[in-house]
């Protein structure tokens, strides 16, 4: 069940150390149709709506070659999450489980990951399907899907062209 930041029966919060971002930089932002956690999917679907990943300067040049991959792994910062729960009750039924056994956005370092389908590259923006984050979620990283990535091998074969209609 979706939460704002309430504590549920059976959940346990701790007093965490002061948050520091360990030198992370937000390299872009993700534009999605969802402005509320109530409507945001819990996990993205490859046939979900098209979302736009906007990469900020000076990082746009780092997209060179990205169009050769059909699927990408996107890492993002779930910036509206609380970060102090060690036991959580996803169903809000009093039965709590450890944070690290869940894919909840509520975690000490709220990093989300999704495998997405690349639909198009538009300059410094990627159109993708498969995300599950709120509009304006900060972007941490973009990588080729590890199951498709072959270091030092020729570019992947694709069954569609970047620029195909979305
Ligand atoms: N696919 C990612 C993963 O498994 O690491 C994230 C999964 S998490 C269950 C997705 C949920 O996080 C969404 O349904 C929404 O409730 C919440 N969420 C999405 N964007 C968020 C944001 N920017 N800040 C806080 N919570 C967010």
């Amino acid at each position: 069940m979706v939460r704002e930041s309430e504590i549920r029966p059976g959940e346990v919060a701790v007093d965490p150390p002061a948050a520091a971002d360990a030198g992370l930089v937000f390299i872009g932002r993700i534009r999605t149709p969802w402005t509320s956690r109530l409507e945001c999917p819990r996990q993205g679907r490859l046939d979900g709506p098209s979302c736009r990943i906007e990469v900020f300067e000076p990082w746009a040049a780092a997209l060179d070659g990205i169009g050769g991959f059909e699927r990408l792994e996107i890492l993002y910062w779930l910036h509206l999450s609380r970060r102090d729960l060690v036991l959580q009750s996803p169903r809000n039924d009093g039965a709590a489980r450890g944070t690290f056994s869940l894919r909840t956005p509520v975690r000490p370092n709220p990093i989300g990951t999704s495998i997405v389908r690349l639909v198009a590259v538009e300059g410094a923006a990627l159109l993708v399907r498969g995300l599950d984050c709120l509009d304006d979620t900060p972007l941490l990283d973009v990588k080729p899907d590890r199951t498709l990535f072959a270091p030092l091998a020729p570019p992947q074969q694709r069954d569609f062209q970047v620029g195909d209609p979305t």
Side-chain angles (χ1 to χ4, degrees):
M1 250 178 282
V2 176
R3 75 171 70 230
E4 290 295 344
S5 60
E6 76 279 7
I7 293 269
R8 297 168 174 167
E11 293 189 332
V12 174
V14 295
D15 189 13
D21 280 347
L24 288 174
V25 288
F26 297 157
I27 60 163
R29 65 175 174 172
I30 304 178
R31 307 310 310 262
T32 75
W34 306 294
T35 56
S36 152
R37 277 177 264 193
L38 297 176
E39 60 191 25
C40 194
R42 289 195 63 75
Q43 290 294 336
R45 296 171 50 113
L46 295 182
D47 60 355
S50 178
C51 300
R52 187 177 178 87
I53 296 174
E54 298 173 350
V55 176
F56 299 151
E57 290 298 347
W59 310 110
L63 293 173
D64 182 52
I66 204 81
F69 293 92
E70 182 177 359
R71 288 200 309 267
L72 303 173
E73 185 174 355
I74 309 299
L75 283 74
Y76 37 99
W77 190 254
L78 298 160
H79 64 308
L80 300 178
S81 288
R82 60 183 300 160
R83 301 170 62 171
D84 60 343
L85 296 189
V86 290
L87 293 181
Q88 302 187 42
S89 176
R91 296 193 183 88
N92 200 5
D93 60 359
R97 296 168 56 190
T99 292
F100 301 143
S101 71
L102 299 166
R103 291 206 69 100
T104 167
V106 177
R107 37 202 334 114
N109 295 307
I111 294 171
T113 69
S114 285
I115 299 294
V116 303
R117 186 164 70 83
L118 178 61
V119 176
V121 181
E122 293 182 351
L126 306 175
L127 295 190
V128 304
R129 296 183 192 274
L131 282 170
D132 54 13
C133 59
L134 296 171
D135 190 37
D136 247 354
T137 292
L139 176 67
L140 292 178
D141 207 350
V142 176
K143 309 181 189 192
D145 177 357
R146 75 194 71 181
T147 65
L148 300 178
F149 187 67
L152 303 179
Q156 307 287 315
Q157 295 298 311
R158 301 166 54 109
D159 58 4
F160 71 99
Q161 295 297 312
V162 167
D164 281 352
T166 60

